[in-house]
Structure formats: structure tokens, C-alpha cells
Amino acid sequence: MTLAIMSALLDEQRGLLEQLSQPRRVQRAGRTFWCGQWAEQDVVLVLSKVGKVAAATTTTTLIEAFDVKRVVFTGVAGGVGQSVNVGDVVVAQAFIQHDMDSSPLFARYEIPLYGRDTLACDEPLSALLLEATHTGIKSARGHFHHENSVQDQRVHQGLIASGDQFVASAQGAAALVSGLKQAGHAPLAVEMEGAAVAQVCHDYGIPFAAVRTISDRADAQAHVDFSAFVQQVASPYALSIMREFIKLV
Ligand code: ADE
């Protein structure tokens, strides 16, 4: 039962790659797939690339060419939920595309011909990921120092909104949240791939779970210190979380 671990960022993938025994590199669809074993599990590591289409291609290739049976995603996201702060971690319960709008043919946010606007993550796999996240960040916390205080860091579980947009203004984030609220949704975070991965996994009946460390508040400061945060916080977290997760799956 091959497990795919998709990362959004090279820095995150680097730490995971060091865990693979006898890694084998396969090029396909312009992507580099790393196949190997981790804790006696068959694993494929790959970068999702950025945006929904790129992430969908990566996911489809994982399933069609690498016979992957489970997919887990690690990355960073912008916090838009009220108490979702930099350094917090969000485990996805479901995904929605905040830029999906085929109204008036279909309701705002509805995925045409799917009859729904959200796609749920796999519950058992997400429960394991949540457990791994709690344990993982506890052990990662001791290992680094960063100017962003991570003392009151929290783990959340809920809806993540994806779209082909880096949200970098408080106004933009507020509009996005208010639109979703009108349709009865309360997203905790925004990013650019998860809903696409969820949709492909839904199409193939493949269990999917995702975890995102909050790198910014999706405001005008969003791009500042992004790469430092990824290197110093998000990557050690991703590694620590996956180290625990691989023991549980
Ligand atoms: N990933 C991390 N931060 C983000 C943001 N502000 N918008 C979209 N994707 C993100």
C-alpha cells in the first residue's frame, strides 16, 4: 500500500528525502518522484508544484503511474480563521475552492457536476495525522528557536480553502472569508493546492489527508519572512509530523 507524501516546498521535501532508504529517482510529467522505503513502508515523495492544476497533475500521476493508495500533503498556509495564528498547525477536515464560481448555472462554490462544494478528507487517515501532529510538534518545538513566538501554538482541525491566488491583503482575505461565510463555510486557512488534490483523490477513491503550518495571516505581511519561516519552522514541523505519522499508518 504505497503512501505518497506530497510537499509544497523544496525545503520541506529535503528533510523527508533523508529518511528514505535506497531512494530511487523517477522523472515523469516534468516532476521528480522519489520512491523508497521509510519505516518499512513503500513511500513516494513529490513536490506538488504550485496551484490547483499543477497539484492535480501531480496527484493523478502519483495514482496512475506509481500505484499510490494513500496521499498525505504537508505544506504551509495563510491563517484566516479568527484564532489561527502564525506557527499554528491546521489538519484539514475538508477542502473548498474559494475561486470556484459557476453561478448562476451552479451555486457559488459548487463544483459543477459533483453536486457539492466541499470535499472531505479521509476520516481515519486524518485522525492519525492529527495524532501525529500533536506528538510531532511537541518534539519539534524543542529543536529550534525562531523570532516568531510559538509558545501559544495550537493545532486546529477544520475547513481549508484553496485557490489560484496567494492571498496577501487583509481586505482580500476578509472578502474571501465573508463570501464563504455567506455560503455557510468558515475556513481556517487558505492555500493553493489542497482542494485539487482532494478532488483527484475523491475521483479515484483514494484516502487523502493534509496538514498545513500557518506561515502568515494572508495579509500585507504575508510574503515577509516567508522563506525563513519555511526553513526554520515549517520544514522541521513537517518532518517531525511525518516521522510520527509513518509510525501510525
Ligand atoms: N500559502 C501560504 N500562505 C498563503 C497565502 N497567504 N495565500 C495562499 N497560499 C498560501
Side-chain angles (χ1 to χ4, degrees):
M1 273 249 285
T2 306
L3 169 74
I5 306 176
M6 286 177 84
S7 311
L9 306 152
L10 187 61
D11 281 317
E12 282 184 336
Q13 198 196 36
R14 229 173 256 135
L16 299 173
L17 195 50
E18 286 168 10
Q19 310 301 312
L20 285 201
S21 59
Q22 297 173 328
R24 193 167 52 89
R25 184 169 165 269
V26 182
Q27 293 286 139
R28 189 117 181 181
R31 284 139 175 84
T32 302
F33 296 83
W34 290 96
C35 306
Q37 288 222 318
W38 184 8
E40 273 138 57
Q41 304 255 12
D42 290 324
V43 171
V44 184
L45 304 180
V46 66
L47 293 176
S48 61
K49 295 211 165 186
V50 179
K52 290 182 296 174
V53 174
T57 301
T58 307
T59 311
T60 307
T61 308
L62 276 169
I63 296 167
E64 288 285 358
F66 294 87
D67 201 25
V68 151
K69 298 295 185 213
R70 291 172 298 180
V71 176
V72 61
F73 194 108
T74 77
V76 294
V80 295
Q82 251 181 7
S83 56
V84 182
N85 297 309
V86 172
D88 286 4
V89 181
V90 176
V91 174
Q93 215 152 35
F95 282 94
I96 191 163
Q97 295 178 48
H98 66 71
D99 53 358
M100 174 60 79
D101 188 356
S102 297
S103 59
L105 299 179
F106 296 89
R108 178 83 170 96
Y109 305 111
E110 185 174 328
I111 310 167
L113 312 180
Y114 280 64
R116 62 175 79 199
D117 50 13
T118 59
L119 288 172
C121 294
D122 183 68
E123 268 185 46
L125 202 61
S126 300
L128 296 180
L129 187 57
L130 185 65
E131 188 185 334
T133 299
H134 279 291
T135 324
I137 62 169
K138 232 177 266 164
S139 72
R141 224 177 335 218
H143 292 182
F144 65 84
H145 303 282
H146 190 259
E147 59 199 48
N148 288 317
S149 165
V150 287
Q151 285 161 10
D152 292 326
Q153 175 194 47
R154 294 172 55 192
V155 176
H156 310 262
Q157 194 176 23
L159 181 69
I160 296 182
S162 310
D164 290 322
Q165 186 188 5
F166 186 84
V167 183
S169 81
Q171 240 178 343
L176 190 156
V177 169
S178 133
L180 284 166
K181 194 173 168 197
Q182 278 177 40
H185 300 295
L188 299 180
V190 289
E191 40 83 299
M192 303 177 68
E193 296 85 20
V197 182
Q199 190 167 335
V200 174
C201 287
H202 167 87
D203 289 345
Y204 282 94
I206 297 280
F208 169 58
V211 60
R212 294 264 185 178
T213 301
I214 300 302
S215 55
D216 57 82
R217 280 285 304 168
D219 56 15
Q221 298 296 308
H223 64 289
V224 181
D225 238 16
F226 186 80
S227 60
F229 180 87
V230 167
Q231 276 174 28
Q232 293 167 25
V233 183
S235 300
Y237 274 19
L239 178 56
S240 229
I241 293 166
M242 283 304 116
R243 224 196 271 270
E244 297 301 323
F245 184 71
I246 202 81
K247 293 186 212 160
L248 298 174
V249 291

